[in-house]
Amino acid sequence: MVVAAFFFGLMGVFVKLGSASLSSSALVFWRTLIGVLLLGIPALLKGQRFATPCLRRHIQRGLLAYTSLLLYFYAIAHLPLATAVTLNYTSPMFLALLSVVFLREKLSPRALFALALGFVGVVLLLRPTLASDAWLVGLMGLCSGLLAGWSYLHVRELARLGEPEWRIVFYFALIATLGGAVLVSFEGWQPMDGYTMLMVAGLGITATIAQLAMTRAYKVGNKLVAANLSYLTVVFSTLLGVLLWDESLPGASLSAIILIVISGMLASRR
């Protein structure tokens, strides 16, 4: 999971660099297209079954996750890397809330405390953006966390119905790629020079390595430990933002990031 967190942080770097040449929708398209090929071709060669009795749920999950990824990439392009990543990592908070709304789950006092802590962190983190022209981007980053948490509800339900892990990820990548192709067609396809192709390749490679490492961590390790270690992505993103763009976050923003990370860890233990 430490490896996964590091490469997810690097993925954010390639998104930020690539956003100078490509739109967020184009970056999402190329990132998910690589996922379709890396998952689909081996599955085809192994004779895996692509047909599923849960197509409607896959479509719902895919649309939620695609929109979340689109908003996330847009936030990375226009906010400090650490801020954008942290806003996306509010997903465990929203997952806990949505579990109450849709699944009628009851929250423990610890989970309620985690949500309160996370809410304070979000307010502190968004305060600088709400006081500037970047308020809309900040809210978009927060919405990426909400939609990611919502999509995890569908992942949980698909797993409960017996859907294999590769098919859950494949259908998300496929739906996101098709949605991205439609959106980019409306925008107009942008030509790519050597530098842009390198950024796209870096995005696809780092995302794939991160996904594989994360899958391995959850498969063979303690799931709670893996979930907590995933927040190292926030740490790595903060360090990379400082090293590459000299992004200096004020003390209030750093405190907010710490509160949100603690909140996510507590929420995952509910």
Side-chain angles (χ1 to χ4, degrees):
M1 186 53 84
V2 175
V3 172
F6 176 70
F7 277 95
F8 274 130
L10 280 182
M11 183 195 77
V13 170
F14 282 108
V15 170
K16 204 166 185 68
L17 293 173
S19 65
S21 307
L22 295 175
S23 66
S24 298
S25 51
L27 288 170
V28 171
F29 168 78
W30 290 113
R31 182 255 179 272
T32 54
L33 177 61
I34 293 171
V36 168
L37 296 175
L38 291 175
L39 287 167
I41 292 175
L44 193 63
L45 294 175
K46 292 178 181 178
Q48 298 276 18
R49 180 182 171 85
F50 286 86
T52 172
C54 308
L55 184 59
R56 182 176 63 86
R57 291 187 183 275
H58 278 293
I59 292 173
Q60 290 173 338
R61 187 261 167 159
L63 291 174
L64 286 169
Y66 167 62
T67 308
S68 171
L69 193 61
L70 191 63
L71 294 174
Y72 181 37
F73 279 18
Y74 189 84
I76 289 176
H78 295 88
L79 291 174
L81 185 58
T83 301
V85 170
T86 305
L87 288 173
N88 182 259
Y89 271 68
T90 57
S91 55
M93 291 168 44
F94 288 115
L95 178 58
L97 283 173
L98 292 168
S99 297
V100 174
V101 174
F102 292 112
L103 304 180
R104 305 301 180 193
E105 291 184 0
K106 292 185 177 180
L107 294 181
S108 64
R110 179 171 56 191
L112 290 171
F113 174 71
L115 292 178
L117 204 63
F119 177 75
V120 173
V122 168
V123 171
L124 283 174
L125 192 60
L126 284 180
R127 189 173 61 178
T129 61
L130 292 175
S132 68
D133 294 336
W135 65 270
L136 181 58
V137 182
L139 292 179
M140 289 170 71
L142 186 62
C143 283
S144 78
L146 167 62
L147 294 176
W150 198 350
S151 76
Y152 292 151
L153 275 183
H154 288 275
V155 170
R156 210 159 70 177
E157 183 64 17
L158 285 165
R160 189 184 66 82
L161 293 171
E163 281 292 275
E165 186 178 90
W166 75 267
R167 203 153 64 194
I168 295 174
V169 179
F170 172 79
Y171 271 103
F172 151 65
L174 179 62
I175 291 166
T177 301
L178 293 174
V182 171
L183 200 56
V184 176
S185 295
F186 278 107
E187 293 178 346
W189 292 90
Q190 299 165 281
M192 293 196 296
D193 55 19
Y195 173 80
T196 306
M197 292 177 67
L198 188 63
M199 294 302 102
V200 168
L203 169 59
I205 291 169
T206 52
T208 300
I209 293 173
Q211 194 74 43
L212 289 172
M214 182 180 70
T215 302
R216 177 71 175 171
Y218 278 112
K219 184 176 181 180
V220 303
N222 181 288
K223 290 180 174 56
L224 181 58
V225 173
N228 287 340
L229 285 175
S230 70
Y231 281 92
L232 284 173
T233 302
V234 176
V235 177
F236 288 131
S237 298
T238 303
L239 294 175
L240 288 167
V242 171
L243 290 173
L244 297 176
W245 293 285
D246 197 25
E247 294 176 347
S248 57
L249 294 175
S253 295
L254 289 174
S255 299
I257 288 173
I258 293 170
L259 287 177
I260 291 171
V261 168
I262 293 173
S263 168
M265 289 180 175
L266 291 175
S268 66
R269 297 171 63 95
R270 74 184 192 284

